[in-house]
Amino acid sequence: MAIGTVRRFGFGILPILAMFIVLLVSLSLMSDATHNSERFGEHYSWLLLINALGLVVLGALVVANIIWLLGQQRKKAAGIQLTTRMVVMFVVLAVAPVSVVYYFSLQFLHRGIDSWFDVRIEEALGDALDLGRTALDVRLRDVLHLTEQMADEVSESPSATLSLNLYDLRVRSGAAEITLLGSDGRILASSSADPTDIVPSQPTGEMLQILHSGRHYIGLDPVGDTGLYARALVPVQSSRQDSEVYTLQTLFPVSERMGMLADSVQSAFVHYRELAYLRTPLKFSYTLTLSIVLVLSLLAAIWMAFYSARRLVAPVRDLAEATRAVAEGDYSKRLPVASKDELGFLVRSFNDMTRRLSRARDAAQKSRHQVESQRAYLEAVLANLSSGVIGLDSDSVIRAVNTAARQNLGVDIKPYLGKKLADVGEDHAFLTPLIDVIASKRSGGKQAWQAEVTLFGINGHQILICRGASLKGVDLRRGSQIIVFDDVTALIQAQRDAAWGEVARRLAHEIKNPLTPIQLSAERLRRRYIDTMDKDDVEVLDRATRTIVNQVEAMKKMVNAFNEYARAPKISLEPIKLNMLVNEVLDLYRGNNVNAAIRTCLEAECDNVEGDTGRIRQLLHNLVKNALEAVHELDDAQVKLSTRCGGELDSRYIELCVDDNGPGFREHVLENLFEPYVSTKPRGSGLGLAIVKKIVEEHGGMIAAETSPEGGARIRIRLLVSAVAVGGEGGEGSGLRNSTRPSRDAGL
Amino acid sequence: MHAQTALVDRSAVLDISARLRRFLLCLLVTLCMALPVPLPAETGHGAFEVVAARTEKGEDGYLLSAQLDIRLSAGAQEALENGIPLVIEFQIQALETHVWLWDEVIEEIRHARQISYHALSRTYVVRDIKTGRQQNFRSLQDALLMAGFMQELPVLDYQLLEDDKNYVMRLRGSLDIESLPTPVRLLAYVSSAWDMDSEWHKWQLAR
């Protein structure tokens, strides 16, 4: 608070102006006191002190300002260089003329004081004084003569009438006072013209000494304000017996005219002598006053220089600070418009500029918000799409990806944003078919394309419909594409199942229903006519009807088998050890009139799968039976079942291969091998491999048929390895599986 | 008693104020000596000294008789001869003494006499400022002797005294610088030639 008060006091204009005025008044009084010591003379020393204190205060203010300036310079405050320059300029502008005026004033002052004095005037005044003395001497001699005469008269006078005689003498002679003194200085008698003057004026020892030396005393006596008196002392020889020597003292006023003239000469002379004596002290005191005025002016000018510089630079400093703030991004800065001059105009322009900048920034922010919200909207749309979306730029770098892509592919693509699509393939080999398709289609240069891709990955067997389109009207380089892919595995499966279901229903309705009347009719024909016919005809009839019945029976079986294929049984998944199941199934065939050598090579350690035991068993039976049927005519018939593990950590599978050394598959058969009613065997139903494929697909597996290098047929089945071992924590494992493949089970 | 205390305070304040002012001015003028004006060289130191002082019992109170030896410095004498009147001031104090405390001023009297030179009559005029009585002397010595002489000046009323207390009188004489013309005053503040104050002369008040 004290600092604040000092600061306010130090930097406010009003207190300083008040102090200037006080100091100026004090200086003028001091100057007056130097001239005329009667008016302010007694306060001169106080005035001098007040001025000195004022100077000290001003000096302290200036020093404080200089310290402030240095501090600001050290801090490199805004506008301080300009302030310093202005202060220096103002100070130089003030100091130079004031110093010149001071120098010449001093010169004039000293010469002026010196010019008061002239030797001739001094001599003239001395002469006038001598003249006065000479003129008065005449009067003094008259007074002495008169006093001597009076002394004679007094010596004759008797003691009793002494006072009366003195009175008589005084009135006659016109003296102001006559006193008779004894030899010891006692007043014997006295008479005075002034009745209030009770005590007569006594002679000094010096006068009496002159008298004692035998001389008469005569001299001028200045008496207070009443003027000059001539004093005479004459011894009186008493005629009386005591022979005592008395002294007669007379005081005669100098005539009024002469007294006035003498007084005038005396005062002029004294005044001149006094002035001459005071010449040097006067110079000193005038110089002191002038110097105080100089110092006061200089300090005031310096302070004003600081004050003005600060006031002038303040808007510039504010502007500099505000500009710095704007440069740092703060557009809210507004400066107060203090003046209407060019600086005020500048400040107004600055305020306009920041206002516009602020508005522009707000608009930019608003549009950015809009863009962001649109982007967020787009992302939300993409995220809620069931189709996977991947954006690629011209260098096949992934620029965008949605969450459905992860669900569809089973791989989180987001970490690969900014990386090449091929990098995903390196880390996840099962995606290679998709990546290859995309690469080949992009290199084809079409604006839009579509392809079906089959993957075998984390989600098992997958069929993806991929669509690519070049991005137009987007600020990207040419060649950017958006890839949209849908997992249609379940859809295709469902369509196929539905188609076969419809076929089965129709078969049942259109074929199976007439079969029973046909069979019954054939049996009735046989029964009715067998007894009435001759032996040859009977044989024909019997054979014909039996054929009809057998064929109808065969057709019934066929329809039932097909119906069984087409219906969609619910599978119940459980952990299975595949190797063990294979051995169990093979045990039924070994040594049971089987002429083929059945070998196994069950090496897979990862044989834990989740599946329906009955369906998998049926799958194995079908495959083994198929293989045995393919080789039953060979001498060295061989059937081999082998398992092995494959895939990566997150998509491990077990591969089951069933090899035989039969004739293998012909090329045109291979394309439709797994479709119903496709068979290489003359008596085959054509449903064996179709059912196998169906079971594999129900388990999310993959099946392939090929001709082995040795020339035989080879069926390869891949099933996903369960994360949980058989007999382990099956609940948790199945839960995990269900969560990763929810749609597959439902679809099947 | 109250009157006495007030007197003590006022005199103390006057004394301190005068001393402070004198010190500050002395400092200021010393600093100003750097100004480009040659000041008159001071020669011949003067001094005041109380050579004798005593109090006698009068009708209503004590009467002071004293002799102050006044030796003017050359500067002061020159000023006097050039028509500048000098004022000699006597400061007379009555103190009540205490064993453990400061002495207390119970009465103070200032008495002043002016010496001036009358050129026409070539006399030195000594005037008592209070009474206005004046005496003229042909020689300066006589004038100074007269100016420093006091006879039976009433200084202390009996009523101010209490029986069981001890009192001391003291006297000093000085040249009143404040009565000098302003230009001379500046010099007088700093020049030792104008500092002719006597020491305090102290004596026991005879009861």
Side-chain angles (χ1 to χ4, degrees), chain A residues 33 37 41 44-46 48-49 52 129 133 136 204 206 217 219-224 228 262 266 269 273-274 277-278 280-282 284-285 287-288 291, chain B residues 17 21 24-25 28-29 32 35 37-40 75 78-79 81-82 84 118-123 134 136-139 142 182-187 189 194:
Chain A
S37 73
Y44 181 80
S45 47
W46 282 118
L48 197 60
L49 270 185
L129 199 69
R133 281 193 194 121
L136 285 169
T204 61
E206 184 190 18
Y217 172 84
L220 269 176
D221 251 23
V223 178
L228 277 172
Q266 147 80 18
F269 178 79
R273 286 290 296 273
E274 191 180 335
Y277 172 76
L278 291 178
T280 309
L282 257 180
F284 176 73
S285 56
T287 308
L288 180 67
S291 302
Chain B
S17 153
R21 189 169 50 166
L24 288 174
L25 285 171
L28 176 70
V29 179
C32 293
L35 293 177
V37 178
L39 290 171
E78 190 191 348
E81 279 160 8
N82 282 288
I84 293 166
H118 193 263
L120 189 68
S121 60
R122 292 198 182 96
T123 54
Q134 73 170 52
N136 305 326
F137 299 92
R138 298 238 165 217
S139 84
D142 290 345
T182 312
V184 184
R185 223 186 298 170
L186 278 179
L187 280 181
Y189 283 133
W194 288 84

Coordinates of all heavy atoms in Angstrom, one line a residue, chain A residues 33 37 41 44-46 48-49 52 129 133 136 204 206 217 219-224 228 262 266 269 273-274 277-278 280-282 284-285 287-288 291, chain B residues 17 21 24-25 28-29 32 35 37-40 75 78-79 81-82 84 118-123 134 136-139 142 182-187 189 194:
Chain A
A33 N 12.5 38.0 -0.4 CA 13.2 38.2 0.9 C 14.7 38.7 0.7 O 15.2 39.4 1.5 CB 13.2 36.9 1.6
S37 N 14.6 42.6 3.2 CA 14.7 41.7 4.3 C 13.6 41.9 5.4 O 13.5 41.1 6.3 CB 16.1 41.7 4.9 OG 16.2 42.9 5.7
G41 N 12.2 38.6 5.4 CA 13.5 38.3 5.8 C 13.6 37.3 6.9 O 14.4 36.3 6.9
Y44 N 13.3 33.8 5.7 CA 14.2 33.4 4.6 C 14.7 32.0 4.7 O 14.7 31.2 3.8 CB 15.3 34.4 4.5 CG 16.3 34.1 3.4 CD1 16.0 34.5 2.1 CD2 17.5 33.5 3.6 CE1 16.8 34.2 1.0 CE2 18.4 33.2 2.5 CZ 18.0 33.6 1.3 OH 18.9 33.3 0.2
S45 N 15.2 31.7 6.0 CA 15.8 30.4 6.2 C 14.8 29.3 6.0 O 15.1 28.2 5.4 CB 16.5 30.3 7.5 OG 15.6 30.8 8.5
W46 N 13.6 29.5 6.4 CA 12.5 28.5 6.2 C 12.2 28.3 4.8 O 12.1 27.2 4.3 CB 11.3 28.9 7.0 CG 11.4 28.6 8.5 CD1 11.3 29.5 9.5 CD2 11.6 27.4 9.1 NE1 11.4 29.0 10.7 CE2 11.6 27.6 10.5 CE3 11.8 26.1 8.6 CZ2 11.8 26.6 11.4 CZ3 12.0 25.1 9.6 CH2 12.0 25.3 10.9
L48 N 14.2 28.9 2.3 CA 15.3 28.2 1.7 C 15.2 26.7 2.0 O 15.4 25.8 1.1 CB 16.6 28.7 2.4 CG 17.9 28.4 1.6 CD1 17.9 29.0 0.2 CD2 19.1 29.0 2.4
L49 N 14.9 26.3 3.2 CA 14.7 24.9 3.6 C 13.6 24.2 2.8 O 13.8 23.1 2.3 CB 14.5 24.8 5.1 CG 15.7 24.6 6.0 CD1 15.3 24.4 7.4 CD2 16.6 23.5 5.5
A52 N 14.8 23.6 -0.6 CA 15.8 22.5 -0.6 C 15.1 21.2 -0.5 O 15.4 20.2 -1.2 CB 16.8 22.7 0.5
L129 N 29.0 63.7 3.4 CA 29.0 63.4 4.8 C 30.0 64.4 5.5 O 29.6 65.0 6.6 CB 29.5 62.0 5.1 CG 29.1 61.4 6.5 CD1 27.6 61.2 6.6 CD2 29.8 60.1 6.7
R133 N 29.2 67.2 8.3 CA 30.0 67.4 9.5 C 30.5 68.8 9.7 O 30.4 69.4 10.8 CB 31.2 66.4 9.5 CG 30.8 65.0 9.9 CD 32.0 64.2 10.2 NE 31.7 62.7 10.1 CZ 32.2 61.9 9.4 NH1 33.2 62.2 8.5 NH2 31.8 60.6 9.4
L136 N 27.8 71.1 10.6 CA 27.4 70.9 12.0 C 28.4 71.4 13.0 O 28.1 71.8 14.1 CB 27.1 69.4 12.2 CG 25.8 68.9 11.6 CD1 25.8 67.3 11.6 CD2 24.6 69.4 12.3
T204 N 28.9 59.7 29.0 CA 29.6 58.4 29.2 C 31.0 58.7 29.8 O 31.4 59.8 29.9 CB 29.8 57.8 27.8 OG1 30.6 58.6 27.0 CG2 28.5 57.5 27.1
E206 N 33.8 58.0 28.7 CA 34.7 58.5 27.7 C 34.7 60.1 27.6 O 35.7 60.8 27.6 CB 34.2 57.9 26.4 CG 35.1 58.2 25.2 CD 34.4 57.8 23.9 OE1 33.2 57.6 23.9 OE2 35.1 57.6 22.9
Y217 N 34.1 69.1 26.2 CA 33.6 68.1 25.2 C 32.5 68.7 24.4 O 31.6 69.3 24.9 CB 33.1 66.9 26.0 CG 32.4 65.9 25.1 CD1 33.1 64.9 24.3 CD2 31.0 65.9 24.9 CE1 32.5 64.1 23.5 CE2 30.4 65.0 24.1 CZ 31.1 64.1 23.3 OH 30.5 63.3 22.5
G219 N 30.1 67.3 21.0 CA 29.9 66.2 20.1 C 28.5 66.1 19.6 O 27.6 66.6 20.3
L220 N 28.3 65.3 18.5 CA 27.0 65.1 18.1 C 26.4 63.8 18.7 O 27.1 62.8 18.8 CB 27.0 64.9 16.5 CG 26.8 66.2 15.7 CD1 26.9 65.8 14.2 CD2 25.4 66.8 15.9
D221 N 25.2 63.8 19.1 CA 24.6 62.6 19.6 C 23.3 62.3 18.9 O 22.3 63.0 18.9 CB 24.2 62.9 21.1 CG 25.2 62.2 22.0 OD1 26.3 61.8 21.6 OD2 24.8 61.9 23.2
P222 N 23.3 61.1 18.2 CA 22.0 60.7 17.7 C 21.2 60.1 18.8 O 21.6 59.2 19.5 CB 22.4 59.6 16.7 CG 23.8 59.2 17.1 CD 24.4 60.2 18.0
V223 N 20.0 60.7 19.0 CA 19.1 60.2 20.1 C 17.9 59.6 19.5 O 17.0 60.3 19.1 CB 18.8 61.4 21.1 CG1 17.9 60.9 22.2 CG2 20.1 62.0 21.7
G224 N 17.9 58.3 19.6 CA 16.7 57.5 19.1 C 16.1 58.1 17.8 O 16.9 58.3 16.8
L228 N 19.2 64.4 15.8 CA 20.6 64.7 16.2 C 20.6 65.8 17.3 O 19.8 66.7 17.3 CB 21.4 65.2 15.0 CG 22.0 64.2 14.1 CD1 22.6 64.9 12.9 CD2 23.1 63.3 14.8
A262 N 21.2 66.4 7.2 CA 22.2 65.5 7.8 C 21.8 64.1 7.8 O 22.5 63.1 7.5 CB 22.6 66.0 9.2
Q266 N 23.4 61.0 5.9 CA 23.8 59.9 6.7 C 23.2 58.6 6.2 O 23.9 57.6 6.0 CB 23.4 60.2 8.2 CG 23.1 59.0 9.1 CD 24.3 58.2 9.6 OE1 25.4 58.8 9.5 NE2 24.1 57.0 9.9
F269 N 24.5 57.5 2.8 CA 25.9 57.1 3.0 C 25.9 55.6 3.5 O 26.5 54.7 3.0 CB 26.7 58.0 3.8 CG 28.1 57.6 4.1 CD1 29.0 57.8 3.1 CD2 28.4 57.0 5.2 CE1 30.3 57.4 3.3 CE2 29.7 56.5 5.4 CZ 30.7 56.8 4.5
R273 N 27.1 52.3 1.9 CA 28.2 51.4 2.5 C 27.7 50.0 2.7 O 28.4 49.0 2.5 CB 28.6 52.1 3.8 CG 29.4 53.3 3.7 CD 30.8 53.0 3.1 NE 31.6 52.2 4.0 CZ 32.4 52.6 5.0 NH1 32.4 53.9 5.2 NH2 33.1 51.8 5.8
E274 N 26.4 49.9 3.2 CA 25.9 48.6 3.5 C 25.8 47.8 2.2 O 26.1 46.6 2.1 CB 24.5 48.8 4.1 CG 23.9 47.5 4.6 CD 22.5 47.7 5.2 OE1 22.2 48.8 5.6 OE2 21.8 46.7 5.3
Y277 N 29.1 46.7 1.1 CA 29.6 45.6 1.9 C 28.8 44.3 1.5 O 29.4 43.2 1.5 CB 29.3 45.9 3.4 CG 29.6 44.7 4.3 CD1 30.9 44.3 4.6 CD2 28.6 43.9 4.8 CE1 31.2 43.2 5.4 CE2 28.8 42.9 5.6 CZ 30.1 42.5 5.9 OH 30.4 41.4 6.7
L278 N 27.5 44.5 1.2 CA 26.7 43.3 0.9 C 26.9 42.8 -0.5 O 26.2 41.8 -0.9 CB 25.2 43.6 1.2 CG 24.8 43.8 2.6 CD1 23.3 44.1 2.7 CD2 25.1 42.5 3.4
T280 N 29.1 41.1 -2.2 CA 29.4 39.7 -2.4 C 28.4 38.8 -1.9 O 27.9 37.9 -2.5 CB 30.8 39.4 -1.8 OG1 31.7 40.3 -2.3 CG2 31.3 38.0 -2.2
P281 N 27.9 39.0 -0.6 CA 26.8 38.2 -0.1 C 25.6 38.2 -1.0 O 24.9 37.2 -1.1 CB 26.6 38.7 1.3 CG 27.8 39.4 1.7 CD 28.4 39.9 0.4
L282 N 25.3 39.4 -1.5 CA 24.1 39.6 -2.3 C 24.3 38.7 -3.6 O 23.3 38.0 -4.0 CB 24.0 41.0 -2.8 CG 22.9 41.8 -2.1 CD1 22.9 43.2 -2.6 CD2 21.5 41.2 -2.2
F284 N 26.0 36.1 -3.9 CA 25.9 34.7 -3.5 C 24.5 34.3 -3.3 O 24.0 33.3 -3.8 CB 26.7 34.5 -2.1 CG 26.6 33.1 -1.6 CD1 27.2 32.1 -2.2 CD2 25.8 32.9 -0.5 CE1 27.1 30.8 -1.7 CE2 25.6 31.6 0.0 CZ 26.3 30.6 -0.6
S285 N 23.7 35.2 -2.6 CA 22.3 34.8 -2.3 C 21.5 34.8 -3.6 O 20.7 33.9 -3.8 CB 21.7 35.7 -1.3 OG 21.8 37.0 -1.7
T287 N 22.7 34.3 -6.6 CA 23.2 33.1 -7.4 C 22.5 31.8 -6.8 O 22.1 30.9 -7.5 CB 24.7 33.0 -7.3 OG1 25.2 34.2 -7.7 CG2 25.2 31.9 -8.2
L288 N 22.5 31.8 -5.4 CA 21.8 30.6 -4.8 C 20.4 30.5 -5.3 O 19.9 29.4 -5.7 CB 21.9 30.8 -3.3 CG 21.3 29.6 -2.5 CD1 22.1 28.4 -2.7 CD2 21.3 30.0 -1.0
S291 N 20.3 29.5 -8.8 CA 20.7 28.1 -8.9 C 19.6 27.1 -8.5 O 19.3 26.1 -9.1 CB 21.9 27.8 -8.1 OG 23.0 28.6 -8.5
Chain B
S17 N 14.3 23.5 17.3 CA 13.9 23.9 15.9 C 15.0 24.8 15.4 O 15.4 24.7 14.2 CB 12.6 24.7 16.1 OG 12.5 25.7 15.1
R21 N 17.3 23.9 12.2 CA 17.2 24.8 11.0 C 18.7 25.2 10.7 O 19.1 25.2 9.5 CB 16.4 26.0 11.3 CG 16.1 26.8 10.1 CD 15.0 27.8 10.4 NE 15.3 28.5 11.6 CZ 14.7 29.7 12.0 NH1 13.8 30.1 11.2 NH2 14.9 30.3 13.1
L24 N 20.6 22.3 9.1 CA 20.2 22.0 7.7 C 20.7 23.1 6.8 O 21.2 22.8 5.7 CB 18.7 21.9 7.6 CG 18.1 20.6 8.2 CD1 16.6 20.7 8.2 CD2 18.5 19.4 7.5
L25 N 20.5 24.3 7.2 CA 21.0 25.4 6.4 C 22.5 25.4 6.2 O 23.0 25.7 5.1 CB 20.6 26.8 7.0 CG 19.1 27.1 6.8 CD1 18.7 28.3 7.6 CD2 18.8 27.3 5.4
L28 N 23.1 22.9 3.6 CA 22.7 23.3 2.3 C 23.7 24.4 1.8 O 24.2 24.3 0.7 CB 21.3 23.9 2.4 CG 20.8 24.6 1.2 CD1 20.5 23.5 0.1 CD2 19.5 25.4 1.4
V29 N 24.0 25.3 2.6 CA 24.9 26.4 2.1 C 26.3 25.9 1.9 O 27.0 26.3 0.9 CB 24.9 27.6 3.1 CG1 25.8 28.7 2.6 CG2 23.5 28.1 3.3
C32 N 26.2 24.6 -1.4 CA 26.1 25.7 -2.3 C 27.5 26.4 -2.5 O 27.6 27.3 -3.4 CB 25.0 26.7 -2.0 SG 23.4 25.9 -2.1
L35 N 29.0 27.1 -5.8 CA 28.5 28.1 -6.7 C 29.7 29.0 -7.2 O 30.6 29.3 -6.4 CB 27.4 28.9 -6.1 CG 26.1 28.1 -5.8 CD1 25.1 28.9 -5.1 CD2 25.6 27.5 -7.1
V37 N 30.6 31.9 -7.0 CA 30.7 33.3 -6.4 C 31.8 33.2 -5.3 O 31.7 32.4 -4.4 CB 29.4 33.7 -5.8 CG1 29.5 35.1 -5.1 CG2 28.3 33.7 -6.8
P38 N 32.8 34.1 -5.4 CA 33.8 34.1 -4.4 C 33.3 34.7 -3.1 O 32.7 35.8 -3.1 CB 35.0 34.9 -5.0 CG 34.3 35.8 -5.9 CD 33.1 35.1 -6.4
L39 N 33.4 34.0 -2.0 CA 32.9 34.5 -0.7 C 34.0 35.3 0.0 O 35.2 34.9 -0.2 CB 32.4 33.4 0.1 CG 31.1 32.8 -0.4 CD1 30.7 31.5 0.4 CD2 29.9 33.8 -0.3
P40 N 33.7 36.3 0.7 CA 34.7 37.0 1.4 C 35.5 36.2 2.4 O 34.9 35.4 3.1 CB 34.0 38.1 2.2 CG 32.6 37.6 2.2 CD 32.3 36.8 1.1
G75 N 35.1 40.1 10.5 CA 34.0 40.1 9.6 C 32.8 40.9 10.2 O 32.2 41.8 9.6
E78 N 33.6 44.5 10.5 CA 33.5 45.2 9.2 C 32.1 45.5 8.8 O 31.7 46.5 8.4 CB 34.2 44.3 8.1 CG 34.3 45.0 6.8 CD 34.7 44.0 5.7 OE1 35.1 42.8 6.0 OE2 34.6 44.4 4.5
A79 N 31.2 44.4 9.1 CA 29.8 44.6 8.8 C 29.3 45.8 9.6 O 28.5 46.6 9.1 CB 29.1 43.3 9.2
E81 N 30.9 48.3 10.9 CA 31.4 49.6 10.4 C 30.8 50.0 9.1 O 30.8 51.2 8.7 CB 32.9 49.6 10.3 CG 33.5 49.8 11.7 CD 34.9 49.3 11.8 OE1 35.5 48.9 10.7 OE2 35.5 49.2 12.9
N82 N 30.2 49.0 8.4 CA 29.6 49.3 7.1 C 28.1 49.5 7.3 O 27.3 49.4 6.3 CB 29.8 48.2 6.1 CG 31.2 48.4 5.5 OD1 31.5 49.3 4.7 ND2 32.1 47.5 5.9
I84 N 25.9 47.9 9.2 CA 25.0 46.8 9.5 C 24.9 46.6 11.0 O 25.9 46.4 11.7 CB 25.5 45.5 8.9 CG1 25.3 45.6 7.4 CG2 24.7 44.3 9.4 CD1 26.1 44.6 6.6
H118 N 27.0 55.1 13.8 CA 26.4 56.3 13.2 C 27.5 57.1 12.5 O 28.4 57.6 13.2 CB 25.8 57.2 14.3 CG 24.9 58.2 13.8 ND1 25.3 59.5 13.6 CD2 23.6 58.2 13.3 CE1 24.3 60.3 13.1 NE2 23.3 59.5 12.9
A119 N 27.5 57.1 11.2 CA 28.7 57.6 10.4 C 28.9 59.1 10.6 O 30.0 59.6 10.7 CB 28.5 57.2 9.0
L120 N 27.7 59.8 10.6 CA 27.9 61.3 10.7 C 28.5 61.7 12.0 O 29.4 62.5 11.9 CB 26.5 61.9 10.5 CG 26.4 63.4 10.3 CD1 27.0 63.8 9.0 CD2 25.0 63.9 10.4
S121 N 28.1 61.1 13.1 CA 28.7 61.5 14.3 C 29.8 60.7 14.8 O 30.4 60.9 15.8 CB 27.6 61.4 15.4 OG 27.1 60.1 15.5
R122 N 30.2 59.7 13.9 CA 31.3 58.7 14.2 C 31.1 58.1 15.6 O 32.1 58.0 16.3 CB 32.6 59.4 14.1 CG 33.0 59.9 12.7 CD 34.5 60.1 12.6 NE 34.8 60.6 11.3 CZ 35.0 61.9 11.0 NH1 34.7 62.8 11.9 NH2 35.3 62.3 9.7
T123 N 29.9 57.7 15.9 CA 29.7 57.1 17.2 C 29.0 55.7 17.0 O 28.4 55.5 16.0 CB 28.7 58.0 18.1 OG1 27.5 58.2 17.3 CG2 29.3 59.3 18.5
Q134 N 19.3 54.3 24.8 CA 20.5 54.1 24.0 C 21.6 55.0 24.6 O 21.4 56.0 25.3 CB 20.2 54.5 22.6 CG 20.0 56.0 22.3 CD 20.0 56.3 20.9 OE1 19.3 55.6 20.1 NE2 20.8 57.2 20.4
N136 N 25.6 56.4 23.4 CA 26.5 56.6 22.3 C 28.0 56.6 22.7 O 28.3 57.1 23.8 CB 26.3 57.9 21.6 CG 24.8 58.0 21.2 OD1 24.2 57.1 20.8 ND2 24.2 59.2 21.3
F137 N 28.8 55.9 21.9 CA 30.2 55.8 22.3 C 31.1 56.2 21.1 O 30.8 55.8 20.0 CB 30.5 54.4 22.8 CG 29.8 54.0 24.0 CD1 28.5 53.3 23.8 CD2 30.2 54.3 25.2 CE1 27.8 53.0 24.9 CE2 29.5 53.9 26.4 CZ 28.3 53.2 26.2
R138 N 32.2 56.8 21.4 CA 33.1 57.2 20.3 C 33.9 55.9 20.0 O 34.3 55.8 18.8 CB 34.0 58.3 20.8 CG 33.3 59.6 21.1 CD 33.8 60.7 20.3 NE 32.9 61.8 20.3 CZ 32.7 62.6 19.3 NH1 33.2 62.3 18.1 NH2 31.8 63.6 19.4
S139 N 34.2 55.1 21.0 CA 35.1 54.0 20.6 C 34.2 52.7 20.7 O 33.3 52.6 21.4 CB 36.2 53.8 21.6 OG 35.8 53.2 22.8
D142 N 34.4 50.7 24.1 CA 33.4 51.2 25.1 C 32.0 50.7 24.8 O 31.3 50.3 25.7 CB 33.4 52.7 25.1 CG 34.8 53.2 25.7 OD1 35.5 52.4 26.3 OD2 35.1 54.4 25.6
T182 N 19.5 39.5 5.0 CA 19.4 38.2 4.5 C 20.7 37.7 3.8 O 21.2 36.6 4.0 CB 18.3 38.1 3.5 OG1 17.1 38.7 4.1 CG2 18.0 36.7 3.1
P183 N 21.3 38.5 3.0 CA 22.5 38.0 2.3 C 23.6 37.7 3.3 O 24.3 36.7 3.1 CB 23.0 39.2 1.4 CG 21.8 40.0 1.2 CD 21.0 39.9 2.5
V184 N 23.8 38.5 4.3 CA 24.8 38.2 5.3 C 24.5 36.9 6.1 O 25.3 36.2 6.5 CB 25.0 39.4 6.3 CG1 26.2 39.2 7.2 CG2 25.2 40.7 5.5
R185 N 23.2 36.8 6.3 CA 22.7 35.6 7.2 C 23.2 34.3 6.6 O 23.6 33.4 7.3 CB 21.2 35.6 7.2 CG 20.7 35.4 8.6 CD 19.2 35.2 8.6 NE 18.5 36.4 8.1 CZ 17.2 36.5 7.9 NH1 16.5 35.3 8.0 NH2 16.6 37.6 7.5
L186 N 23.2 34.2 5.2 CA 23.6 33.0 4.6 C 25.0 32.6 5.0 O 25.4 31.5 5.3 CB 23.5 33.1 3.1 CG 22.1 32.8 2.5 CD1 22.2 33.0 1.0 CD2 21.7 31.4 2.8
L187 N 25.9 33.7 4.9 CA 27.3 33.5 5.3 C 27.4 33.2 6.8 O 28.2 32.3 7.1 CB 28.0 34.8 5.0 CG 28.4 35.1 3.6 CD1 29.2 36.5 3.6 CD2 29.3 34.0 3.1
Y189 N 25.5 31.6 8.6 CA 25.1 30.3 9.0 C 26.3 29.3 8.9 O 26.4 28.4 9.7 CB 24.0 29.8 8.1 CG 22.6 30.3 8.3 CD1 21.8 30.8 7.3 CD2 22.1 30.3 9.6 CE1 20.6 31.3 7.6 CE2 20.9 30.8 9.9 CZ 20.1 31.3 8.9 OH 18.9 31.8 9.2
W194 N 31.4 34.0 12.3 CA 30.2 34.6 12.8 C 29.6 33.8 14.0 O 28.6 34.2 14.6 CB 29.1 34.7 11.7 CG 29.4 35.7 10.7 CD1 30.2 35.6 9.6 CD2 29.0 37.1 10.7 NE1 30.3 36.8 9.0 CE2 29.6 37.7 9.6 CE3 28.2 37.8 11.6 CZ2 29.3 39.1 9.3 CZ3 27.9 39.1 11.3 CH2 28.5 39.8 10.2

